[in-house]
Every structure is written in C-alpha cells, then in structure tokens.
Amino acid sequence: MESGLSQAFQEELICFICRSYLTDPVTISCGHSFCRACLHLSWEDSLLPVQCPTCREPCQQKDFRTSTVLKNLVSIARQASLMKYLSSEEHKCVTHKETKGIFCMENRIYLCRLCSDSHEHRSHRHCPVEAAAEGQMERLLKQMESIWNKIQENDENLETEKTMITLWKNCLILREEMIRAEYRTCYPDLSEQEEEHIECMKEEGNYYLEKLMESEAMIVQKGKQLRDMYQELMAMSQEPYVVLLQDFDDIFRRSESMQMIMPLSMNPELYVLAFGLLGENFN
C-alpha cells in the first residue's frame, strides 16, 4: 500500500511532455502542470489562445509563475532519490562504510563525514549533497531563463530585419518606377541615360539589400545556436541529482559566452544613408 502511494505521488510530479520530474513547474489555467521549458518549446510558434498539451483546453496566456509547492515537492522527491542512491551498500564510503552525504565543491566528489574531515579534504569547501544539488539546479534554471530571454530578443531582431527587407525591396521597385516616370515626362529622348540611372540606383540599392540579407542570415544562425543550447540545458535539468552534480562548468561557460555577442538588426543609420544615396541618384 505504501509503495503504491509513493508511486502515485511521484507520478503526479512527472511532466506530461518530457516524462521527467517537473523542472521549474508552472500550472496553467486548466490546472495541469508542466516544466516551464517544455511549455516554452511546445507553444513557441503558437498564437493565443494556446492549448493545454494534456486536455487541449484553450489558454489565453503563455507566461506563468513557478508553482512553489510543486517545485518543493519535486525537490523532496529528487533529494530522496539521491540519498537512496548514496545510501546503497555499493555507493557507501569504502573506507568508513558511511553514506557519502557531503559534497566536495573543489573535487566535485561525494564524501562521508570522516573523509570530509581528512587531511586531504579538510581545507576544501563542503556542503550537504542535497544543498549542492539544489544550488546546481538553481544555477541551471538561471542560465535557461537567460538563454530564453536571448532567444526572444533574437526573434524580435529577426522580425525587424525581415520587415526591413520587404520594405527595402518595395522601395527599390518604387524608386525604379519613379525614375522611369520622371524620364518619360521630362527626358523622353534620354533612354540610355535612363537605363544608366536605374542601373546605378539598383547597384546602390542591392548593396544594402545584400547587407540586410547577410544580417538576417546571422540572426537566423544565432537563433539556432541559442535553441540548441537551451535544449542542451533543458536535457541537463531533467537528469537525476546524482548526475546534475557532475562537472558541467564547460556547458555553463559556453552558455554565457554565447550570450555575450548577439547579432543586431542593421544599424538604422545605414537605412538613412541608403535612402539618401538613392535620393541623390534620383535627383
């Protein structure tokens, strides 16, 4: 009976989307709960109202507060799994036959109480394994939030660039029509000069169009890199605490480095310059 209750309790802490323990759980309007990251990715390209992945009930918002109660319950369950793993005979301290309940922050290894007080580890920073695991999870969640915000920022820049490319193409078409109309009205005998004028205008205009398209390609590539990193962090967050306490400094460094340089939409001053050059050609 107790085992059945424990299994039923743990099942309530599982995300319907990823089938792992809820990570940074949020509860949507219909009452179902999911990992925040799972909802982000599930609803990313959907317009409001979005649908609950479980019951398909419409939902009018995409952002929710973390469910503190669920988060605490998941933390208790994950800590219990960690301690059960460390308390097994095969993972106890070989020397002292004690549970390795202390984590050495320098060497990133599990220690029993006596080993942590040994000459080898005495000067190192230690903390209970549960606290170390929770700290690593919070560090991970902050990185995920930061990456997600960069994804949104990058998407906004991409939309700006796409809009500008469309406007720019329309501008070139309109500018050509205006030049041809001007020559037909004022200089009907200068057809050769008309074509030269249009060719010059197109050359200038296509230069900036090419820059815009290069900028768009860079933003698209950055978006892919950010999403790949987000999914890598997400997969890491779903690992058991015993795995989460391994050395993941490399992934954190890569995550932070990736956010330092973000491609921006083309400098507005270049637009002004481009329009000015086209205007000079027309005059």
Side-chain angles (χ1 to χ4, degrees), residues 62 64 85 96 157 174 186 191 203 205-206 269-270:
K62 285 188 175 184
F64 301 88
Y85 173 89
H96 303 106
N157 290 336
L174 177 60
C186 304
S191 59
E203 184 177 341
N206 286 335
E269 292 178 1
L270 294 179

Side-chain angles (χ1 to χ4, degrees), residues 104 107 109 111 115-124 126:
C104 175
N107 299 131
I109 58 174
L111 301 170
C115 284
S116 68
D117 198 38
S118 67
H119 177 74
E120 181 181 359
H121 296 285
R122 189 178 302 159
S123 61
H124 295 171
H126 305 130

Side-chain angles (χ1 to χ4, degrees), residues 115-181:
C115 284
S116 68
D117 198 38
S118 67
H119 177 74
E120 181 181 359
H121 296 285
R122 189 178 302 159
S123 61
H124 295 171
R125 290 184 301 120
H126 305 130
C127 69
V129 291
E130 301 97 325
E134 290 297 322
Q136 183 81 323
M137 177 61 81
E138 288 304 315
R139 182 186 178 197
L140 176 57
L141 292 178
K142 286 180 180 178
Q143 279 296 317
M144 290 176 66
E145 180 183 9
S146 181
I147 287 284
W148 186 255
N149 289 337
K150 290 296 183 182
I151 289 174
Q152 304 312 301
E153 176 188 328
N154 195 71
D155 285 350
E156 290 174 7
N157 290 336
L158 180 59
E159 285 305 310
T160 299
E161 213 70 340
K162 285 182 176 179
T163 299
M164 193 61 208
I165 287 173
T166 300
L167 291 173
W168 192 252
K169 288 179 178 178
N170 292 337
C171 170
L172 295 181
I173 293 171
L174 177 60
R175 190 63 78 174
E176 180 177 351
E177 290 174 353
M178 291 173 65
I179 291 173
R180 291 194 184 282

Side-chain angles (χ1 to χ4, degrees), residues 28-30 43 47-52 56-62 64:
I28 63 178
S29 56
C30 62
W43 287 349
L47 299 176
L48 291 175
V50 288
Q51 290 185 331
C52 169
R56 300 300 174 186
E57 181 175 315
C59 182
Q60 292 294 338
Q61 66 181 104
K62 285 188 175 184
F64 301 88

Side-chain angles (χ1 to χ4, degrees), residues 3-14:
S3 176
L5 283 174
S6 176
Q7 185 175 352
F9 169 74
Q10 291 197 37
E11 184 62 29
E12 291 301 314
L13 304 181
I14 299 298

